Amino acid sequence: MLKGLGGLGDMAKMMKTAQEMQSKMVEMQESLETMTVTGESGAGLVKATATAKGVLTGLDIDPSIFNPDEKEVVEDLILAAIKDAQAKAKAKSEEEMAALTEGMGLPKDMKLPF
């Protein structure tokens, strides 16, 4: 037997912990699909809403910015709001992952393969 495994009891405990983590990972992935974040640009004139998985679900544009002469400005504001929402989605996902791994007694900065 390899040193450090501590016998079959420890192996069974490790397997149980791995199964619990897998179950919690599935739950977390499902919850990330329903959590939303909102990115903004132009002091709130453009707002993009996305799931915590980064899927864009909504766009709110203040009508005051619809000036035909400023088409490029509006496009830039829209892109900025989407990028902000995506950055917030990534941060929320990482926050949830850190909470999960810490709850399982794993390091906060542990990267999991997905």
XYZ file of all heavy atoms in Angstrom:
833
model
N 0.844 -1.178 0.000
C 0.000 0.000 0.000
C 0.891 1.244 0.000
O 1.928 1.265 0.614
C -0.905 -0.012 1.231
C -1.950 1.049 1.136
S -3.212 1.002 2.442
C -3.693 -0.687 2.459
N 0.436 2.268 -0.688
C 1.207 3.503 -0.744
C 1.111 4.256 0.568
O 0.041 4.357 1.171
C 0.702 4.397 -1.886
C 0.891 3.853 -3.291
C 0.195 4.761 -4.287
C 2.349 3.703 -3.634
N 2.233 4.808 0.956
C 2.273 5.572 2.193
C 1.462 6.861 2.011
O 1.511 7.495 0.976
C 3.729 5.920 2.516
C 3.989 6.146 3.958
C 5.474 6.285 4.214
C 5.699 6.087 5.683
N 7.098 5.992 6.010
N 0.715 7.239 3.005
C -0.054 8.482 2.949
C -1.529 8.284 2.642
O -2.311 9.199 2.774
N -1.918 7.099 2.135
C -3.333 6.877 1.857
C -4.105 6.499 3.110
O -5.314 6.692 3.177
C -3.518 5.804 0.787
C -3.166 6.200 -0.632
C -3.395 5.034 -1.577
C -3.956 7.399 -1.078
N -3.426 5.929 4.091
C -4.061 5.646 5.374
C -5.037 4.499 5.360
O -5.929 4.454 6.193
N -4.980 3.599 4.431
C -5.845 2.420 4.426
C -7.104 2.625 3.617
O -7.373 3.679 3.055
N -7.915 1.589 3.583
C -9.137 1.609 2.776
C -10.188 2.577 3.300
O -10.953 3.128 2.530
C -9.718 0.193 2.696
C -8.864 -0.823 1.948
C -9.512 -2.202 2.023
C -8.667 -0.405 0.512
N -10.217 2.771 4.619
C -11.177 3.727 5.191
C -10.970 5.119 4.640
O -11.924 5.814 4.284
N -9.709 5.517 4.541
C -9.409 6.829 3.984
C -9.755 6.896 2.503
O -10.200 7.924 2.005
C -7.936 7.183 4.192
C -7.618 7.546 5.640
O -8.574 7.795 6.413
O -6.427 7.571 5.994
N -9.543 5.808 1.790
C -9.859 5.758 0.365
C -11.364 5.912 0.161
O -11.813 6.650 -0.714
C -9.372 4.446 -0.250
C -9.619 4.382 -1.742
S -8.703 5.643 -2.614
C -7.402 4.644 -3.260
N -12.155 5.232 1.003
C -13.615 5.354 0.903
C -14.049 6.782 1.215
O -14.940 7.325 0.552
C -14.287 4.380 1.862
N -13.404 7.396 2.187
C -13.723 8.785 2.545
C -13.386 9.719 1.382
O -14.157 10.630 1.067
C -12.953 9.188 3.798
C -13.283 10.579 4.275
C -12.523 10.913 5.549
C -12.815 12.349 5.974
N -12.041 12.748 7.144
N -12.251 9.479 0.725
C -11.859 10.299 -0.424
C -12.859 10.143 -1.562
O -13.225 11.124 -2.210
C -10.455 9.918 -0.902
C -9.351 10.448 -0.020
S -7.653 9.988 -0.484
C -7.699 9.553 -2.170
N -13.319 8.925 -1.802
C -14.291 8.683 -2.868
C -15.614 9.388 -2.567
O -16.224 9.982 -3.441
C -14.519 7.176 -3.057
C -13.315 6.435 -3.619
S -12.831 7.020 -5.241
C -14.214 6.466 -6.205
N -16.036 9.320 -1.299
C -17.272 9.978 -0.903
C -17.148 11.490 -1.075
O -18.058 12.147 -1.588
C -17.615 9.646 0.545
C -18.931 10.240 0.996
C -19.275 9.878 2.427
C -20.598 10.521 2.803
N -20.890 10.417 4.204
N -16.010 12.036 -0.678
C -15.772 13.473 -0.823
C -15.779 13.868 -2.295
O -16.358 14.905 -2.660
C -14.432 13.872 -0.169
O -14.482 13.539 1.222
C -14.157 15.353 -0.314
N -15.170 13.059 -3.139
C -15.147 13.341 -4.576
C -16.555 13.317 -5.156
O -16.914 14.170 -5.979
C -14.250 12.338 -5.294
N -17.383 12.367 -4.725
C -18.763 12.292 -5.210
C -19.566 13.503 -4.745
O -20.368 14.053 -5.502
C -19.418 10.997 -4.737
C -18.888 9.765 -5.446
C -19.429 8.476 -4.840
O -19.856 8.432 -3.695
N -19.399 7.413 -5.635
N -19.348 13.919 -3.484
C -20.046 15.099 -2.975
C -19.644 16.338 -3.764
O -20.493 17.163 -4.109
C -19.719 15.307 -1.495
C -20.363 14.311 -0.562
C -19.888 14.460 0.892
O -19.143 15.409 1.195
O -20.274 13.613 1.716
N -18.366 16.450 -4.062
C -17.891 17.610 -4.812
C -18.478 17.615 -6.211
O -18.898 18.656 -6.713
C -16.368 17.627 -4.873
C -15.833 18.848 -5.558
S -14.072 18.961 -5.325
C -13.770 20.522 -6.122
N -18.531 16.456 -6.844
C -19.102 16.370 -8.177
C -20.569 16.802 -8.156
O -21.013 17.551 -9.018
C -18.978 14.949 -8.726
C -19.480 14.813 -10.148
C -19.316 13.415 -10.692
O -19.070 12.464 -9.954
N -19.443 13.269 -11.987
N -21.306 16.371 -7.151
C -22.707 16.748 -7.025
C -22.855 18.252 -6.823
O -23.696 18.896 -7.451
C -23.334 15.991 -5.856
O -24.648 16.419 -5.627
N -22.013 18.811 -5.973
C -22.072 20.253 -5.723
C -21.659 21.045 -6.954
O -22.182 22.131 -7.201
C -21.207 20.616 -4.518
C -21.820 20.150 -3.217
C -20.998 20.553 -2.014
C -21.669 20.038 -0.738
N -20.993 20.479 0.453
N -20.733 20.505 -7.739
C -20.310 21.181 -8.972
C -21.471 21.249 -9.957
O -21.688 22.274 -10.591
C -19.139 20.430 -9.608
C -17.852 20.483 -8.827
S -17.100 22.093 -8.873
C -16.598 22.145 -10.557
N -22.223 20.166 -10.084
C -23.375 20.143 -10.981
C -24.393 21.180 -10.519
O -24.921 21.951 -11.329
C -23.999 18.731 -11.049
C -25.345 18.759 -11.745
C -23.045 17.766 -11.746
N -24.658 21.219 -9.211
C -25.602 22.205 -8.666
C -25.120 23.616 -8.942
O -25.909 24.487 -9.319
C -25.761 22.006 -7.157
C -26.515 20.765 -6.761
C -26.509 20.549 -5.244
O -26.263 21.502 -4.486
O -26.748 19.401 -4.827
N -23.821 23.873 -8.747
C -23.291 25.204 -8.968
C -23.406 25.598 -10.436
O -23.812 26.712 -10.753
C -21.825 25.291 -8.535
C -21.283 26.709 -8.641
S -19.498 26.805 -8.597
C -19.085 26.101 -10.170
N -23.083 24.676 -11.345
C -23.190 24.970 -12.771
C -24.630 25.334 -13.144
O -24.866 26.263 -13.915
C -22.710 23.773 -13.607
C -21.224 23.553 -13.547
C -20.437 24.688 -14.176
O -20.808 25.205 -15.231
N -19.363 25.093 -13.536
N -25.594 24.613 -12.579
C -27.001 24.902 -12.843
C -27.398 26.263 -12.277
O -28.130 27.025 -12.907
C -27.889 23.804 -12.279
C -27.767 22.492 -13.036
C -28.495 21.331 -12.366
O -29.039 21.503 -11.247
O -28.503 20.239 -12.959
N -26.895 26.586 -11.094
C -27.256 27.865 -10.487
C -26.614 29.031 -11.231
O -27.188 30.122 -11.289
C -26.891 27.906 -9.000
O -25.496 27.963 -8.812
N -25.450 28.830 -11.840
C -24.809 29.895 -12.612
C -25.644 30.276 -13.828
O -25.570 31.403 -14.313
C -23.404 29.474 -13.060
C -22.346 29.374 -11.973
C -21.027 28.866 -12.566
C -22.127 30.691 -11.257
N -26.451 29.338 -14.311
C -27.307 29.623 -15.460
C -28.483 30.534 -15.095
O -29.058 31.181 -15.961
C -27.821 28.323 -16.072
C -26.721 27.515 -16.730
C -27.193 26.181 -17.269
O -28.413 25.920 -17.287
O -26.329 25.389 -17.675
N -28.847 30.593 -13.813
C -29.976 31.425 -13.408
C -29.546 32.713 -12.707
O -30.335 33.644 -12.599
C -30.930 30.647 -12.482
O -30.216 30.214 -11.322
C -31.535 29.453 -13.196
N -28.296 32.778 -12.220
C -27.797 34.015 -11.613
C -27.568 35.039 -12.714
O -27.110 34.703 -13.798
C -26.456 33.781 -10.914
C -26.530 33.007 -9.665
S -24.839 32.877 -8.991
C -25.108 31.570 -7.834
N -27.895 36.299 -12.440
C -27.665 37.331 -13.443
C -26.784 38.444 -12.885
O -26.751 38.691 -11.682
C -28.990 37.947 -13.936
O -29.695 38.521 -12.844
C -29.856 36.925 -14.635
N -26.078 39.077 -13.806
C -25.265 40.246 -13.504
C -25.617 41.301 -14.543
O -26.100 40.975 -15.632
C -23.755 39.927 -13.551
C -23.358 38.960 -12.448
C -23.336 39.390 -14.895
N -25.393 42.569 -14.198
C -25.683 43.651 -15.130
C -24.441 44.509 -15.307
O -23.876 44.993 -14.332
C -26.856 44.520 -14.630
O -28.006 43.688 -14.477
C -27.181 45.630 -15.609
N -24.042 44.679 -16.554
C -22.929 45.562 -16.894
C -23.477 46.874 -17.409
O -24.554 46.901 -18.002
N -22.740 47.938 -17.155
C -23.208 49.259 -17.569
C -22.110 50.024 -18.289
O -20.922 49.771 -18.089
C -23.632 50.079 -16.350
C -24.781 49.507 -15.571
C -25.206 50.410 -14.411
O -24.731 51.557 -14.309
O -26.032 49.956 -13.613
N -22.543 50.985 -19.100
C -21.617 51.933 -19.700
C -22.349 53.256 -19.872
O -23.579 53.308 -19.782
C -21.081 51.420 -21.040
O -22.115 51.365 -21.993
N -21.577 54.295 -20.113
C -22.183 55.617 -20.306
C -22.977 56.065 -19.108
O -24.062 56.615 -19.250
N -22.444 55.839 -17.914
C -23.115 56.225 -16.659
C -24.521 55.649 -16.574
O -25.460 56.304 -16.128
C -23.132 57.742 -16.504
N -24.667 54.407 -17.034
C -25.949 53.721 -16.929
C -26.872 53.920 -18.122
O -27.997 53.427 -18.101
N -26.410 54.602 -19.160
C -27.259 54.799 -20.333
C -27.477 53.496 -21.095
O -28.506 53.315 -21.745
C -26.652 55.853 -21.269
C -26.640 57.285 -20.736
C -25.871 58.203 -21.689
C -28.058 57.793 -20.530
N -26.499 52.613 -21.028
C -26.619 51.305 -21.662
C -26.340 50.255 -20.602
O -25.335 50.320 -19.899
C -25.637 51.146 -22.847
C -25.748 49.752 -23.447
C -25.900 52.195 -23.910
N -27.255 49.286 -20.475
C -27.099 48.202 -19.507
C -27.277 46.875 -20.226
O -28.220 46.702 -20.992
C -28.143 48.317 -18.390
C -28.020 49.586 -17.569
C -29.126 49.692 -16.541
C -29.037 51.022 -15.804
N -30.178 51.234 -14.948
N -26.342 45.962 -19.953
C -26.415 44.613 -20.520
C -26.552 43.630 -19.366
O -25.821 43.716 -18.388
C -25.165 44.311 -21.336
N -27.493 42.720 -19.485
C -27.704 41.702 -18.462
C -27.263 40.359 -19.038
O -27.551 40.038 -20.190
C -29.187 41.635 -18.052
O -29.594 42.925 -17.618
C -29.412 40.638 -16.935
N -26.543 39.589 -18.195
C -26.060 38.277 -18.623
C -26.182 37.300 -17.468
O -26.269 37.702 -16.305
C -24.595 38.375 -19.065
N -26.191 36.008 -17.800
C -26.141 35.000 -16.753
C -24.719 34.966 -16.217
O -23.794 35.484 -16.851
C -26.497 33.595 -17.291
O -25.464 33.158 -18.164
C -27.849 33.587 -17.983
N -24.530 34.324 -15.064
C -23.187 34.207 -14.495
C -22.301 33.306 -15.350
O -21.100 33.263 -15.155
C -23.253 33.682 -13.063
N -22.889 32.635 -16.332
C -22.111 31.845 -17.290
C -21.708 32.699 -18.489
O -21.042 32.227 -19.392
C -22.895 30.632 -17.756
C -23.019 29.572 -16.667
C -23.429 28.255 -17.246
C -22.286 27.307 -16.997
N -22.443 26.002 -17.551
N -22.136 33.973 -18.515
C -21.724 34.891 -19.573
C -22.648 34.969 -20.764
O -22.321 35.586 -21.771
N -23.835 34.379 -20.672
C -24.784 34.425 -21.783
C -25.607 35.713 -21.678
O -26.277 35.959 -20.671
C -25.725 33.195 -21.760
C -26.770 33.284 -22.860
C -24.913 31.912 -21.871
N -25.542 36.546 -22.720
C -26.272 37.805 -22.743
C -27.772 37.528 -22.782
O -28.248 36.778 -23.633
C -25.853 38.624 -23.962
C -26.380 40.044 -24.056
C -25.825 40.892 -22.911
C -26.009 40.664 -25.386
N -28.515 38.111 -21.839
C -29.963 37.864 -21.772
C -30.798 39.121 -21.967
O -32.002 39.036 -22.173
C -30.354 37.231 -20.420
O -29.976 38.118 -19.366
C -29.698 35.878 -20.233
N -30.184 40.285 -21.868
C -30.961 41.503 -22.025
C -30.084 42.706 -22.297
O -28.907 42.730 -21.955
N -30.692 43.703 -22.924
C -30.003 44.936 -23.237
C -30.996 46.071 -23.033
O -32.104 46.032 -23.554
C -29.514 44.894 -24.689
C -28.558 45.942 -25.175
C -27.267 45.918 -24.358
C -28.235 45.715 -26.648
N -30.619 47.065 -22.247
C -31.488 48.212 -21.974
C -30.745 49.475 -22.403
O -29.653 49.758 -21.894
C -31.834 48.272 -20.483
C -32.748 49.445 -20.152
O -33.714 49.681 -20.907
O -32.474 50.131 -19.148
N -31.333 50.203 -23.337
C -30.691 51.399 -23.870
C -31.596 52.597 -23.619
O -32.760 52.599 -24.018
C -30.418 51.257 -25.382
C -29.562 50.017 -25.646
C -29.752 52.511 -25.926
C -29.417 49.665 -27.116
N -31.040 53.605 -22.955
C -31.783 54.842 -22.697
C -32.045 55.519 -24.048
O -31.123 55.720 -24.838
C -30.962 55.758 -21.790
C -31.753 56.963 -21.338
O -32.116 57.794 -22.201
O -31.999 57.071 -20.120
N -33.292 55.870 -24.342
C -33.616 56.463 -25.650
C -32.901 57.792 -25.921
O -32.780 58.205 -27.070
C -35.131 56.669 -25.610
C -35.600 56.261 -24.286
C -34.458 55.700 -23.507
N -32.406 58.447 -24.905
C -31.756 59.742 -25.112
C -30.464 59.640 -25.919
O -29.972 60.652 -26.421
C -31.458 60.405 -23.763
O -30.452 59.687 -23.064
N -29.932 58.450 -26.080
C -28.667 58.338 -26.817
C -28.864 58.064 -28.306
O -27.896 57.960 -29.047
C -27.735 57.269 -26.208
C -28.302 55.870 -26.367
C -27.420 57.564 -24.773
C -27.316 54.769 -25.981
N -30.103 57.975 -28.758
C -30.357 57.688 -30.162
C -30.293 58.950 -31.021
O -31.293 59.515 -31.414
C -31.704 56.980 -30.351
C -31.712 55.596 -29.820
C -32.503 55.252 -28.742
C -30.914 54.625 -30.386
C -32.502 53.963 -28.244
C -30.899 53.328 -29.885
C -31.700 53.004 -28.820
N -29.097 59.342 -31.319
C -28.841 60.468 -32.205
C -28.116 59.882 -33.417
O -27.027 59.325 -33.275
C -27.964 61.502 -31.493
C -27.649 62.698 -32.358
O -27.770 62.646 -33.575
N -27.226 63.769 -31.728
N -28.699 60.001 -34.604
C -28.085 59.399 -35.797
C -26.636 59.828 -36.030
O -25.849 59.088 -36.606
C -28.979 59.857 -36.945
C -30.275 60.228 -36.316
C -29.947 60.675 -34.913
N -26.284 61.020 -35.579
C -24.920 61.513 -35.776
C -23.923 60.841 -34.834
O -22.713 60.987 -35.010
C -24.865 63.036 -35.571
C -25.722 63.790 -36.591
O -25.894 63.269 -37.715
O -26.221 64.877 -36.252
N -24.403 60.154 -33.831
C -23.525 59.536 -32.840
C -23.648 58.018 -32.845
O -23.545 57.360 -31.814
C -23.821 60.107 -31.457
C -23.533 61.591 -31.372
C -23.818 62.179 -30.010
O -24.157 61.429 -29.082
O -23.706 63.404 -29.889
N -23.842 57.450 -34.011
C -23.993 56.002 -34.152
C -22.810 55.244 -33.558
O -22.992 54.265 -32.833
C -24.156 55.649 -35.627
C -24.283 54.169 -35.927
C -24.395 53.934 -37.434
C -24.508 52.483 -37.783
N -23.314 51.701 -37.582
N -21.596 55.680 -33.840
C -20.407 54.994 -33.337
C -20.330 55.042 -31.816
O -19.907 54.079 -31.175
C -19.128 55.589 -33.946
C -18.939 55.276 -35.421
C -19.711 56.226 -36.330
O -20.140 57.321 -35.866
O -19.927 55.874 -37.504
N -20.760 56.159 -31.232
C -20.750 56.293 -29.767
C -21.703 55.276 -29.156
O -21.371 54.597 -28.184
C -21.123 57.730 -29.338
C -21.297 57.814 -27.828
C -20.079 58.726 -29.824
N -22.894 55.145 -29.727
C -23.886 54.189 -29.232
C -23.342 52.766 -29.352
O -23.446 51.964 -28.412
C -25.225 54.334 -29.989
C -26.196 53.231 -29.599
C -25.841 55.704 -29.724
N -22.729 52.437 -30.472
C -22.161 51.103 -30.656
C -21.075 50.833 -29.613
O -21.014 49.741 -29.032
C -21.596 50.957 -32.068
C -22.676 50.924 -33.126
C -22.137 51.024 -34.550
O -20.966 51.447 -34.726
O -22.887 50.686 -35.470
N -20.230 51.829 -29.363
C -19.178 51.670 -28.358
C -19.758 51.475 -26.962
O -19.260 50.660 -26.182
C -18.240 52.890 -28.354
C -17.350 52.944 -29.578
O -17.215 51.918 -30.287
O -16.778 54.028 -29.836
N -20.818 52.210 -26.645
C -21.459 52.064 -25.336
C -22.073 50.678 -25.174
O -21.985 50.070 -24.106
C -22.524 53.147 -25.120
C -22.013 54.565 -24.898
C -23.171 55.561 -24.889
C -21.223 54.665 -23.605
N -22.685 50.188 -26.240
C -23.286 48.855 -26.191
C -22.201 47.798 -25.971
O -22.331 46.933 -25.103
C -24.099 48.553 -27.472
C -25.346 49.449 -27.502
C -24.482 47.082 -27.557
C -26.087 49.446 -28.832
N -21.128 47.877 -26.738
C -20.038 46.916 -26.571
C -19.429 46.996 -25.176
O -19.125 45.967 -24.561
C -18.954 47.151 -27.623
C -19.302 46.681 -29.035
C -18.202 47.098 -30.013
C -19.494 45.182 -29.073
N -19.271 48.203 -24.660
C -18.697 48.377 -23.324
C -19.596 47.750 -22.260
O -19.112 47.112 -21.320
C -18.467 49.855 -23.028
N -20.906 47.923 -22.391
C -21.845 47.346 -21.420
C -21.804 45.816 -21.479
O -21.821 45.145 -20.447
C -23.266 47.846 -21.686
N -21.724 45.264 -22.684
C -21.658 43.805 -22.834
C -20.367 43.272 -22.223
O -20.377 42.280 -21.482
C -21.794 43.399 -24.315
C -23.226 43.677 -24.800
C -21.423 41.930 -24.524
C -23.412 43.550 -26.300
N -19.257 43.927 -22.500
C -17.976 43.495 -21.934
C -17.992 43.588 -20.408
O -17.458 42.720 -19.721
C -16.836 44.325 -22.509
C -16.527 43.979 -23.942
C -15.410 44.849 -24.502
C -15.145 44.512 -25.946
N -14.088 45.355 -26.535
N -18.618 44.633 -19.876
C -18.721 44.779 -18.425
C -19.552 43.645 -17.829
O -19.191 43.062 -16.803
C -19.328 46.145 -18.075
C -19.320 46.448 -16.592
O -18.313 46.130 -15.918
O -20.310 47.017 -16.092
N -20.659 43.316 -18.489
C -21.506 42.209 -18.004
C -20.743 40.889 -18.052
O -20.823 40.081 -17.123
C -22.780 42.119 -18.835
N -19.991 40.668 -19.119
C -19.228 39.422 -19.232
C -18.137 39.346 -18.168
O -17.901 38.284 -17.591
C -18.631 39.290 -20.628
C -19.694 39.000 -21.679
C -19.156 39.030 -23.103
O -18.218 39.763 -23.412
N -19.763 38.246 -23.969
N -17.487 40.468 -17.878
C -16.452 40.489 -16.831
C -17.075 40.198 -15.468
O -16.510 39.455 -14.657
C -15.740 41.838 -16.818
N -18.243 40.774 -15.212
C -18.933 40.526 -13.949
C -19.403 39.074 -13.864
O -19.392 38.475 -12.780
C -20.106 41.491 -13.779
C -19.653 42.909 -13.470
C -20.819 43.865 -13.332
C -20.316 45.263 -12.991
N -21.418 46.231 -12.913
N -19.813 38.511 -14.989
C -20.232 37.099 -15.012
C -19.058 36.203 -14.665
O -19.192 35.268 -13.862
C -20.795 36.728 -16.387
N -17.901 36.494 -15.229
C -16.709 35.692 -14.939
C -16.336 35.810 -13.465
O -16.026 34.810 -12.806
C -15.545 36.140 -15.813
C -14.301 35.324 -15.596
C -13.159 35.752 -16.489
C -11.970 34.849 -16.188
N -10.746 35.352 -16.716
N -16.391 37.023 -12.934
C -16.057 37.232 -11.519
C -17.036 36.488 -10.616
O -16.640 35.879 -9.618
C -16.053 38.727 -11.189
N -18.327 36.512 -10.959
C -19.345 35.824 -10.158
C -19.114 34.317 -10.200
O -19.211 33.635 -9.172
C -20.748 36.158 -10.679
C -21.869 35.580 -9.850
C -21.885 36.196 -8.462
C -23.097 35.752 -7.690
N -23.053 36.223 -6.301
N -18.795 33.802 -11.373
C -18.525 32.374 -11.516
C -17.319 31.968 -10.673
O -17.348 30.950 -9.976
C -18.285 32.045 -12.989
O -18.003 30.684 -13.156
N -16.255 32.774 -10.720
C -15.059 32.482 -9.929
C -15.352 32.575 -8.434
O -14.845 31.778 -7.645
C -13.929 33.427 -10.324
C -13.374 33.119 -11.699
C -12.372 34.147 -12.207
O -12.141 35.176 -11.514
O -11.817 33.930 -13.298
N -16.194 33.532 -8.053
C -16.586 33.683 -6.638
C -17.344 32.451 -6.156
O -17.083 31.934 -5.060
C -17.467 34.935 -6.507
C -18.029 35.189 -5.145
C -19.002 36.375 -5.174
O -18.667 37.420 -5.757
O -20.111 36.236 -4.613
N -18.263 31.956 -6.974
C -19.033 30.765 -6.625
C -18.127 29.534 -6.543
O -18.279 28.703 -5.660
C -20.161 30.536 -7.638
C -21.254 31.594 -7.594
C -22.022 31.594 -6.285
O -22.410 30.518 -5.809
O -22.224 32.701 -5.728
N -17.184 29.434 -7.470
C -16.253 28.309 -7.471
C -15.381 28.345 -6.213
O -15.149 27.315 -5.580
C -15.372 28.334 -8.717
C -14.357 27.214 -8.749
S -15.088 25.570 -8.732
C -15.832 25.539 -10.326
N -14.911 29.525 -5.837
C -14.081 29.663 -4.641
C -14.863 29.248 -3.401
O -14.333 28.559 -2.526
C -13.573 31.092 -4.508
N -16.120 29.645 -3.333
C -16.951 29.273 -2.189
C -17.141 27.757 -2.133
O -17.096 27.158 -1.056
C -18.304 29.979 -2.260
N -17.318 27.147 -3.302
C -17.509 25.699 -3.353
C -16.246 24.963 -2.923
O -16.303 24.073 -2.077
C -17.905 25.255 -4.759
C -18.010 23.745 -4.967
C -19.159 23.169 -4.148
C -18.191 23.427 -6.431
N -15.114 25.338 -3.485
C -13.879 24.629 -3.151
C -13.482 24.855 -1.704
O -13.029 23.937 -1.032
C -12.718 25.026 -4.092
O -12.525 26.438 -4.048
C -12.989 24.582 -5.516
N -13.694 26.069 -1.210
C -13.368 26.345 0.189
C -14.277 25.532 1.115
O -13.837 25.011 2.137
C -13.512 27.840 0.475
C -13.025 28.242 1.840
C -13.093 29.743 2.077
O -13.638 30.469 1.240
O -12.597 30.184 3.125
N -15.549 25.413 0.748
C -16.495 24.632 1.534
C -16.138 23.156 1.579
O -16.510 22.439 2.503
N -15.407 22.699 0.578
C -14.989 21.302 0.529
C -13.605 21.112 1.153
O -13.041 20.032 1.096
C -14.955 20.813 -0.927
C -16.307 20.813 -1.620
S -17.473 19.640 -0.930
C -16.699 18.100 -1.337
N -13.042 22.204 1.699
C -11.728 22.114 2.327
C -10.582 22.173 1.337
O -9.456 21.802 1.650
N -10.867 22.643 0.112
C -9.836 22.761 -0.909
C -9.339 24.205 -0.961
O -10.027 25.117 -0.512
C -10.411 22.347 -2.273
C -10.934 20.916 -2.348
C -11.700 20.699 -3.638
C -9.792 19.931 -2.238
N -8.168 24.442 -1.546
C -7.664 25.816 -1.637
C -8.596 26.714 -2.448
O -9.198 26.261 -3.428
C -6.326 25.658 -2.368
C -5.966 24.218 -2.267
C -7.243 23.465 -2.098
N -8.728 27.983 -2.047
C -9.597 28.917 -2.735
C -9.245 29.087 -4.209
O -10.104 29.256 -5.051
C -9.511 30.315 -2.092
C -10.279 30.484 -0.840
C -10.177 31.929 -0.398
C -10.876 32.167 0.905
N -10.789 33.556 1.329
N -7.952 29.087 -4.507
C -7.508 29.345 -5.870
C -7.368 28.092 -6.725
O -6.813 28.138 -7.807
C -6.187 30.105 -5.853
C -5.083 29.348 -5.123
O -5.360 28.331 -4.493
O -3.931 29.815 -5.188
N -7.926 26.996 -6.258
C -7.836 25.742 -7.005
C -8.632 25.868 -8.297
O -9.781 26.284 -8.301
C -8.376 24.577 -6.188
C -8.279 23.259 -6.891
S -8.849 21.945 -5.789
C -8.704 20.547 -6.863
N -8.008 25.522 -9.406
C -8.677 25.561 -10.718
C -9.179 24.171 -11.047
O -8.448 23.201 -10.978
C -7.703 26.021 -11.804
C -7.121 27.388 -11.568
C -8.149 28.469 -11.771
C -7.507 29.838 -11.581
N -8.414 30.841 -11.220
N -10.458 24.102 -11.382
C -11.045 22.816 -11.754
C -11.188 22.758 -13.268
O -11.341 23.789 -13.916
C -12.384 22.627 -11.053
C -12.259 22.548 -9.534
C -13.614 22.549 -8.889
C -11.495 21.315 -9.101
N -11.171 21.576 -13.847
C -11.109 21.418 -15.310
C -12.411 21.661 -16.045
O -12.913 20.788 -16.728
C -10.656 19.968 -15.461
C -11.202 19.272 -14.265
C -11.118 20.292 -13.157
N -12.974 22.859 -15.946
C -14.119 23.207 -16.789
C -14.228 24.679 -16.937
O -13.649 25.475 -16.276
C -15.446 22.605 -16.287
C -15.892 23.111 -14.964
C -16.656 24.244 -14.868
C -15.533 22.469 -13.789
C -17.066 24.703 -13.637
C -15.952 22.934 -12.563
C -16.715 24.053 -12.490
